Amino acid sequence: MDKKPSSKVHLVQKNASLQHMHSFGMTVAADFLAILTSKNQLNDLQNNPLYQNNPHLILGGGSNVLFTRPFNGLVIKNSLKGIEIVRENDEHIWLKVGAGESWHAFVLFCVENQYAGIENLALIPGTMGAAPMQNIGAYGTEIKTVFSSLTAIDLSAGKEHQFNTNECEFGYRSSIFKTTLKNKMLICDVTLKLNKRIELNTSYAALDDYFTEHGINNLSLKKVCDAVIDIRQQKLPDPKKIGNAGSFFKNPYVSPNVFEKISSQHPNCPSFPGENHNLKIPAAWLIEQCGFKGKRFGDVGVHKLQPLVLVNYGNGTGSALKHLAEKIQQSVLEKFNILLEPEVNIY
Ligand code: FAD
Ligand code: NAP
């Protein structure tokens, strides 16, 4: 008799450690863990009482989550793989990518093949599936600029849905998957429309200055990608060496009136123009003004080079880190009357 490939989820573990599955690296466990390597496994899992009787949490690379307590439920780790050409013409190529593919490895793949549009997003940790979830962005580029569509499965009804750009409701480090559909839709694959005609974006001073300082000209996709990697490696802590989840807070946007009040007291307050005449203030600057840069509180702290990054020195707990985040919020609120919003997903 022919043996069909089984769609059974073999990897349901009980009382599974998540310590090495998230970049803060805290000691934390989940009641159950399932690792999905095919969409069929999700159908199978959904018929399992263990799935029906427990809350769910979707996990990719774990680089944007903070666990403040054990997860009493089922963690579904997305490891759906594959890269496929959907369509191609002289100007663009549409690539459909499995949600469990590494984002950074995909950026390198695109740069190597001269597909432009995401080179500024090099070295962002995590998976393809989580990238639209918070509309990842860096150095003036966001995933929404190359986004075409995605497929997601409704975790309660088990039905598959397609989402186009409008339906994703992309915003600044946000999308519908981080708001109303959070933990309700499991993103299975993402289709991106990359450019064959290369237009580079070096609008961020950090990038432009890098080329000037290093005497680099005749820019290419690879040179931009390499520069982004180098700048990030110099400034950001490597989660493999020191636990962190990148920027803990979003940069706040304020109205021109609010900004005027702040800058009358703090004339050196930096700002960047945003939508509807609002102004973006770097949260890192606000946190530094409150004296937190480089400060350590037990086994958690604020990074010495980038105060927007909160770190776990090794034995820090999720609740200690959350407490520090709240202390920072309170301090920024008192000094500037701005409430910082966490970017990291806190569980
Ligand atoms: P996870 O941390 O596993 O999950 C994040 C959230 O998405 C969770 O709520 C989870 O439930 C949900 N999720 C994950 N996968 C899916 C899925 N398949 N379907 C539905 N929901 C899902 N972010 C930026 O935007 N720009 C940066 O420049 C940047 N730099 C960073 C630098 C460092 C050093 C670190 C540690 C983080 C940085 N981040 C940055 C944050 C983070 O890397 C991104 O948000 C990344 O997209 C998270 O991917 P992940 O797979 O690790 O997601
Ligand atoms: P930076 O270059 O020191 O700039 C500080 C802040 O000013 C950034 O947060 C950026 O906002 C803003 N900014 C700078 N130049 C700008 C411009 N020309 N137009 C509009 N806004 C501008 O920042 P950094 O901390 O070293 O980070 C560099 C890039 O990597 C940033 O885009 C940042 O978002 C990204 N990054 C993100 C994370 C994360 O976890 N989300 C972690 C590390 C780095 P934006 O953040 O809105 O770009």
Side-chain angles (χ1 to χ4, degrees):
M1 202 171 78
D2 277 354
K3 263 197 176 174
K4 277 194 184 160
S6 167
S7 64
K8 291 248 180 300
V9 182
H10 298 291
L11 287 168
V12 175
Q13 298 167 26
K14 280 187 188 167
N15 194 21
S17 169
L18 301 178
Q19 185 172 15
H20 301 293
M21 298 181 90
H22 76 294
S23 61
F24 265 124
M26 272 104 184
T27 309
V28 69
D31 286 352
F32 304 100
L33 167 71
I35 299 178
L36 284 192
T37 53
S38 85
K39 276 203 260 178
N40 292 342
Q41 290 175 332
L42 186 61
N43 297 335
D44 188 53
L45 189 64
Q46 284 176 321
N47 292 325
N48 190 320
L50 185 144
Y51 179 94
Q52 290 154 3
N53 300 334
N54 280 288
H56 316 124
L57 168 63
I58 306 163
L59 196 61
S63 63
N64 210 14
V65 289
L66 173 67
F67 292 105
T68 56
R69 55 197 152 84
F71 186 72
N72 296 124
L74 170 68
V75 168
I76 306 171
K77 180 164 165 59
N78 189 320
S79 288
L80 302 173
K81 294 287 167 70
I83 301 179
E84 182 190 320
I85 298 176
V86 175
R87 213 173 126 199
E88 195 169 1
N89 61 25
D90 288 347
E91 293 184 10
H92 301 288
I93 183 159
W94 285 257
L95 295 174
K96 182 173 166 178
V97 188
E101 290 285 350
S102 148
W103 170 263
H104 176 61
F106 180 70
V107 172
L108 296 183
F109 167 85
C110 288
V111 168
E112 200 179 309
N113 287 285
Q114 295 294 304
Y115 304 146
I118 54 173
E119 53 288 348
N120 290 24
L121 304 179
L123 215 63
I124 297 181
T127 55
M128 175 58 75
M133 196 268 185
Q134 81 148 3
N135 182 23
I136 54 166
Y139 299 101
T141 299
E142 293 175 325
I143 191 178
K144 80 166 183 194
T145 57
V146 294
F147 182 87
S148 178
S149 65
L150 64 75
T151 313
I153 294 180
D154 182 333
L155 285 184
S156 49
K159 271 178 76 177
E160 199 167 292
H161 299 261
Q162 294 288 321
F163 288 78
N164 64 26
T165 307
N166 281 341
E167 288 161 340
C168 288
E169 297 180 8
F170 289 123
Y172 182 61
R173 306 289 187 269
S174 177
S175 77
I176 195 167
F177 305 101
K178 198 166 181 172
T179 54
T180 44
L181 295 183
K182 189 167 183 174
N183 254 314
K184 295 196 168 95
M185 289 277 173
L186 186 137
I187 298 169
C188 299
D189 55 66
V190 181
T191 301
L192 299 182
K193 179 184 170 189
L194 285 317
N195 304 310
K196 290 188 177 174
R197 302 222 167 119
I198 294 170
E199 269 180 51
L200 302 170
N201 173 1
T202 58
S203 58
Y204 269 39
L207 205 46
D208 201 37
D209 292 350
Y210 180 92
F211 296 124
T212 311
E213 276 164 29
H214 290 77
I216 298 170
N217 37 43
N218 298 326
L219 295 185
S220 62
L221 284 185
K222 176 144 175 44
K223 285 180 185 174
V224 171
C225 178
D226 287 348
V228 169
I229 292 173
D230 198 20
I231 298 169
R232 293 180 72 106
Q233 280 174 337
Q234 287 177 39
K235 190 167 179 183
L236 292 168
D238 177 353
K240 287 193 186 105
K241 295 183 183 145
I242 179 162
N244 76 90
S247 306
F248 197 89
F249 300 102
K250 294 184 190 182
N251 292 318
Y253 279 82
V254 298
S255 70
N257 283 347
V258 169
F259 184 73
E260 212 175 288
K261 270 191 209 152
I262 295 174
S263 61
S264 67
Q265 288 172 344
H266 306 274
N268 56 348
C269 177
S271 70
F272 297 93
E275 278 173 18
N276 305 323
H277 304 292
N278 286 338
L279 293 138
K280 175 171 69 179
I281 303 182
W285 185 85
L286 297 169
I287 297 169
E288 185 172 358
Q289 298 308 302
C290 293
F292 283 99
K293 189 174 181 178
K295 286 271 164 69
R296 182 170 176 160
F297 303 83
D299 237 21
V300 297
V302 179
H303 191 247
K304 59 179 191 290
L305 298 177
Q306 172 44 292
L308 196 45
V309 177
L310 306 190
V311 297
N312 170 19
Y313 288 102
N315 294 316
T317 61
S319 52
L321 204 122
K322 185 167 174 248
H323 181 68
L324 170 59
E326 286 165 355
K327 206 164 148 167
I328 292 171
Q329 276 177 315
Q330 187 59 34
S331 193
V332 171
L333 187 64
E334 277 164 18
K335 196 171 169 87
F336 296 100
N337 202 22
I338 292 175
L339 180 61
L340 292 180
E341 188 193 332
E343 180 180 305
V344 170
N345 302 279
I346 302 171
Y347 295 103

